[in-house]
């Protein structure tokens, strides 16, 4: 993700105290992440063998729900990340997330539902029920990757809580743990990271809750121990390290929308026809390849999800 620094961080405009502190923290964080590689040169030595350090998971590939392309390498998937809780550059999450403890973990499911509760991760997503799905993740910055996720359809989890007929949206909250997440010690974003989906989007069979990647449990930098994957939306909707899922009748405001509402909307559907105000969304670069490719409407899932947006002006509701 790109932070719109022209207005927010130049200091040329009159700056509120909150914005001033945020800017100072952003600059501090940038300086710190720039010096980090010298201190912790993990990325230089990252290899696909690193995968063997993570617990293996059993899952059968759901071929009907997978794209036929070859996945990116383990190293690409785990060292080129956006996870601002661990820093703002792409290599920061893999370097700075080693102190994060994703277990034990519980998730609160509450709001407009008949069976709210606090669930231990293992009870919520039993290891026996996992499946693998290969999706491409299209980032709003116009790059993409092919990732073999392991997890369960989000729908299975949501229906356990019995959402009420008044529930229209689902709001997700990431963990807030500044002692283990150095990025949260700066005010770059309004912590904790928040996201939302319309209930029918959340219940769509493509919407996935991942606990693993490449046959292993999720590494911290990829959103351990559980994160959302919504393959027809820009990557920032795929919120990581979720601690709360809330049913609501009001459209949630996501973290990026709050920071820059003119740039990041609630829907964030992949759409080559609707440019980001500062760059085109027509094409994308698959990490690891040289030539750009055409971006597909809804990231190639127009047949599956088009009906959800039949009466929606996609220019207005970007
Ligand atoms: N979730 C949290 N909590 N914090 C973040 O900074 N970044 C988002 C999303 N989820 C982010 C997050 C963005 S911008 C992207 S592109 C994807 O995570 C990247 O997921 P990946 O690192 O597994 O590819």
């Amino acid at each position: 993700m790109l932070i719109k620094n022209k207005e927010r961080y130049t200091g040329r405009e009159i700056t509120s105290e909150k914005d001033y502190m945020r800017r100072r923290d952003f600059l501090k964080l940038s300086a710190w992440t720039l010096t980090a590689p010298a201190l912790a040169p993990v990325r230089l030595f990252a290899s696909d063998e690193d995968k063997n350090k993570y617990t293996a998971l059993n899952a059968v590939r759901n071929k009907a729900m997978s794209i036929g392309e070859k996945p990116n390498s383990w190293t690409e998937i785990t060292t080129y990340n956006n996870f601002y809780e661990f820093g703002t550059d792409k290599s920061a999450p893999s370097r700075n997330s080693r102190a994060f403890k994703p277990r034990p973990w519980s998730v609160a499911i509450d709001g407009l539902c008949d069976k709210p509760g606090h669930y231990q991760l293992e009870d919520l997503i039993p290891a026996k029920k996992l499946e693998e799905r290969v999706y491409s993740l299209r980032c709003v910055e116009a790059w993409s990757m092919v990732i073999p996720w392991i997890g369960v359809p989000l729908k299975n989890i949501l229906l356990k809580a019995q959402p009420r007929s008044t529930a229209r949206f689902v709001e997700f909250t990431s963990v807030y743990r500044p002692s283990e997440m150095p990025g949260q010690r700066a005010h770059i974003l309004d912590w904790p990271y928040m996201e939302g989906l319309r209930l029918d989007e959340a219940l769509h069979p493509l919407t996935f809750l991942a606990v693993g990647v490449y046959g292993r449990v999720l590494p911290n930098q990829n959103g351990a121990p559980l994160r959302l994957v919504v393959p027809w939306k820009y990557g920032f909707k795929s919120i990581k390290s979720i601690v709360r899922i809330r049913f609501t009748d009001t459209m949630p405001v996501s973290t990026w929308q709050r920071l820059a509402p003119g740039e990041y909307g609630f829907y964030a559907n992949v759409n080559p026809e609707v440019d980001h105000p500062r760059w085109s969304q027509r094409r994308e670069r698959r990490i690891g390849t040289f030539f750009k490719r055409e971006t597909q409407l809804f990231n190639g899932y127009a047949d599956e999800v088009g009906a959800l947006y039949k009466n929606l002006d996609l220019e207005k509701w970007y």
Side-chain angles (χ1 to χ4, degrees), residues 1 81-85 139 174 193 222 227 235 238 240:
M1 297 292 286
N81 302 96
N82 279 328
F83 200 169
Y84 275 51
E85 284 85 335
C139 185
S174 289
Y193 194 100
N222 290 82
R227 53 89 55 84
S238 292
K240 296 174 168 180

Side-chain angles (χ1 to χ4, degrees), residues 28-210:
K28 250 195 290 178
L29 185 87
S30 309
W32 170 75
T33 51
L34 283 174
T35 54
L39 302 171
V42 170
R43 189 155 192 259
L44 291 178
F45 302 110
S47 90
D48 290 349
E49 302 299 307
D50 288 350
K51 164 169 119 175
N52 301 330
K53 296 180 196 148
Y54 293 84
T55 308
L57 294 172
N58 274 325
V60 177
R61 180 169 296 182
N62 182 334
K63 288 207 183 117
M65 291 292 205
S66 293
I67 59 169
E69 286 177 68
K70 185 172 176 278
N72 280 86
S73 70
W74 168 268
T75 305
E76 286 164 339
I77 292 171
T78 60
T79 61
Y80 192 85
N81 302 96
N82 279 328
F83 200 169
Y84 275 51
E85 284 85 335
F86 296 112
T88 53
D89 70 87
K90 300 283 182 277
S91 62
S94 63
R95 290 194 318 266
N96 301 333
S97 61
R98 277 169 286 165
F100 181 67
K101 294 183 196 68
R103 282 177 180 75
W105 195 268
S106 68
V107 182
I109 306 188
D110 57 15
L112 299 173
C113 61
D114 287 334
K115 290 240 164 92
H118 268 88
Y119 297 86
Q120 288 305 309
L121 180 64
E122 296 70 23
D123 300 331
L124 192 65
I125 305 180
K128 279 186 272 171
K129 301 239 167 112
L130 300 175
E131 59 178 88
E132 183 183 63
R133 294 183 179 194
V134 183
Y135 285 161
S136 74
L137 181 133
R138 168 59 158 85
C139 185
V140 74
E141 295 157 311
W143 53 265
S144 60
M145 275 200 220
V146 178
I147 306 182
W149 299 112
I150 289 183
V152 293
L154 176 66
K155 179 181 183 169
N156 297 5
I157 306 304
L158 297 184
L159 293 183
K160 278 189 196 191
Q162 298 182 5
R164 297 204 182 123
S165 57
T166 46
R168 292 191 47 231
F169 297 92
V170 188
E171 180 189 77
F172 302 86
T173 308
S174 289
V175 70
Y176 180 66
R177 237 187 248 173
S179 60
E180 293 173 26
M181 302 179 119
Q184 285 183 335
R185 303 202 280 268
H187 298 123
I188 315 158
L189 299 179
D190 276 335
W191 309 113
Y193 194 100
M194 309 273 297
E195 257 308 334
L197 293 173
R198 232 170 48 192
L199 184 61
D200 56 351
E201 297 177 319
L203 293 175
H204 192 280
L206 282 167
T207 308
F208 205 56
L209 210 45

